[in-house]
Amino acid sequence: MWAELLPVGRSASSGGYRRFAWNSADAECRAWFEQQARSRGLTYELDRNGNQWAWLGDPAGEGAVVTGSHLDSVPDGGAFDGPLGVVSSFAALDELRSRGAGFTRPLAIVNFGDEEGARFGVACIGSRLTAGVLDREAAHELRDADGVRLPDAMERAGYDPTAIGADSDRLARIGAFVELHVEQGRYLDEDRPVGVASAIWPHGRWRFDFHGEANHAGTTRIEDRRDPMLTYANTVLAARKKAKLADALATFGKVAVEPNGTNAIASLVRGWLDSRAADEGTLAALVEEIGRAAYERGERDGVRVELTRESYTPVVDFDGPLRDRLAQVLGKRGPGAVPVLPTGAGHDAGILASAVPTAMLFVRNPSGISHSPAEHAETADCLAGVAALADVLEDLACQ
């Protein structure tokens, strides 16, 4: 399975992946998922929001145990973030069948659409729509960098954009959701290849618009310039400093410049801030301070600054009893406590946590690098993750 997915959407120049919502690589990934489902005799289902489901047992049954993740990527992302969870879910089902496990609950594997938000700027669109966190009207207004609206992209890919929206009936039938994911950091030690998530830090995305005045780079005196690039650059440095003081995270990783000419002073710079912290109060204060720094510098530079929150996810504490149950099951595999650790990364599991008992497993990442072609997990650790997920699913769905 892993070998089949590796070439899909991979850039020959960077070695990273460009699997964005509703593009050709996304279509290939979706076709792969459907083929995996049907080859195992599972009931394949596409929900109203474009999420894919593979069911063992009655899809309309109650108390279903669901696992899975996503197959899309950030721009030039790595191979493991998302796909490891989907591949491991199918492999865990194969393992349970080889054990002769008797299922007493429906089991489903899911591929949530557009988890990374690389194309339309909002993360976890598939799970947000399902949970009612993102409504249809707001989703229909989303556009990509080329101005293509989300519903138009869906329609071109053969999906019905008028059907999207909250799917409370589906969520009500789910008894537990467990997402396996590659670790995005380096906290699991050499003796523990698998850990359990405790919580997800609150996080969000904010767009800063710096409005200046376009002019000639070779003829405009320094004192006559209203250069938004200066304000943007100062804001990037301020974000780093203030995040460090708050023991939090702030990253400007995306920027757009108009008119984007080498010999032209920009008229507009747009920068997108990703910020995360251990608690919501710290995060709110940090973003406020970064915004204040931008406004104050903008006044000095003659630049008008606008700040817009594009998405936000509050702190997520995973279901305590389910988390403890996972740790207990995995603790039987060997000596020593199973690591229980928080994460600063957002996931579909975090979106669903308000409606469904949710938990996560992490597979060790020796480099700690993620959202990069250098993202990696050793094969032995991936297999340990499959075994751990199989044990958890057997405990939840075969009692």
Side-chain angles (χ1 to χ4, degrees):
M1 286 186 287
W2 193 251
E4 290 174 359
L5 271 180
L6 275 180
V8 179
R10 192 171 192 175
S11 166
S13 58
S14 71
Y17 290 86
R18 298 172 183 177
R19 300 165 174 164
F20 308 144
W22 313 115
N23 72 0
S24 58
D26 184 54
E28 285 189 63
C29 289
R30 288 171 171 274
W32 173 89
F33 182 95
E34 182 176 357
Q35 188 273 328
Q36 295 298 324
R38 296 194 185 282
S39 69
R40 289 170 171 79
L42 306 178
T43 300
Y44 174 75
E45 182 184 19
L46 186 73
D47 72 18
R48 61 189 300 180
N49 296 307
N51 305 310
Q52 297 177 288
W53 300 76
W55 288 92
L56 177 68
D58 184 5
E62 299 296 324
V65 175
V66 180
T67 186
S69 191
H70 63 96
L71 294 173
D72 65 312
S73 74
V74 299
D76 285 326
F80 293 81
D81 180 352
L84 180 62
V86 178
V87 170
S88 296
S89 296
F90 283 117
L93 173 58
D94 295 343
E95 166 65 17
L96 289 177
R97 281 175 158 173
S98 72
R99 296 178 187 177
F103 291 87
T104 56
R105 291 186 177 189
L107 176 71
I109 298 169
V110 62
N111 168 36
F112 282 110
D114 201 2
E115 192 271 353
E116 297 290 5
R119 183 172 181 183
F120 296 101
V122 176
C124 301
I125 287 181
S127 55
R128 284 181 187 273
L129 285 168
T130 299
V133 179
L134 176 66
D135 62 39
R136 179 185 307 168
E137 292 72 22
H140 278 195
E141 293 302 314
L142 295 175
R143 296 175 182 269
D144 67 11
D146 297 319
V148 178
R149 296 169 61 246
L150 171 63
D152 295 334
M154 290 184 68
E155 196 166 38
R156 291 174 189 174
Y159 296 85
D160 180 9
T162 64
I164 64 175
D167 202 346
S168 56
D169 289 343
R170 178 180 300 275
L171 293 180
R173 297 195 300 271
I174 298 175
F177 175 60
V178 180
E179 181 175 4
L180 179 145
H181 204 279
V182 66
E183 184 187 10
Q184 294 171 292
R186 195 167 57 186
Y187 300 99
L188 291 171
D189 62 37
E190 60 184 16
D191 296 323
R192 296 179 176 88
V194 180
V196 176
S198 60
I200 297 176
W201 280 14
H203 57 279
R205 299 179 182 187
W206 290 261
R207 189 185 77 239
F208 286 71
D209 293 344
F210 302 91
H211 298 270
E213 181 179 68
N215 217 325
H216 196 295
T219 62
T220 310
R221 298 186 307 168
I222 291 293
E223 56 268 29
D224 292 337
R225 300 183 178 205
R226 295 174 51 215
D227 188 351
M229 190 64 76
L230 295 178
T231 316
Y232 166 71
N234 184 80
T235 305
V236 173
L237 295 174
R240 170 61 182 266
K241 179 180 179 180
K242 294 180 184 302
K244 188 173 183 180
L245 291 173
D247 196 21
L249 301 170
T251 306
F252 277 95
K254 178 181 177 181
V255 62
V257 182
E258 296 178 11
N260 204 28
T262 304
N263 60 347
I265 299 168
S267 61
L268 171 66
V269 176
R270 281 197 173 97
W272 281 263
L273 170 71
D274 178 298
S275 193
R276 305 161 192 251
D279 62 84
E280 295 178 34
T282 299
L283 179 58
L286 173 59
V287 174
E288 183 178 354
E289 288 186 12
I290 296 171
R292 185 181 303 115
Y295 291 127
E296 291 176 353
R297 179 69 193 208
E299 289 182 2
R300 292 168 54 190
D301 295 334
V303 171
R304 179 168 58 88
V305 179
E306 294 179 322
L307 174 56
T308 305
R309 189 177 81 177
E310 290 194 336
S311 67
Y312 181 78
T313 302
V315 63
V316 174
D317 290 310
F318 288 114
D319 185 81
L322 180 59
R323 177 198 62 215
D324 295 344
R325 185 171 178 175
L326 264 61
Q328 183 179 18
V329 169
L330 299 185
K332 297 176 182 178
R333 296 185 63 85
V338 175
V340 179
L341 58 154
T343 178
H347 301 280
D348 292 310
I351 301 299
L352 299 185
S354 62
V356 174
T358 304
M360 289 191 71
L361 299 178
F362 290 127
V363 172
R364 181 171 49 200
N365 177 347
S367 69
I369 296 173
S370 186
H371 283 188
S372 159
E375 181 179 84
H376 182 67
E378 296 291 341
T379 300
D381 289 350
C382 294
L383 294 175
V386 170
L389 181 60
D391 288 348
V392 166
L393 296 178
E394 185 172 27
D395 181 74
L396 294 172
C398 301
Q399 297 298 315

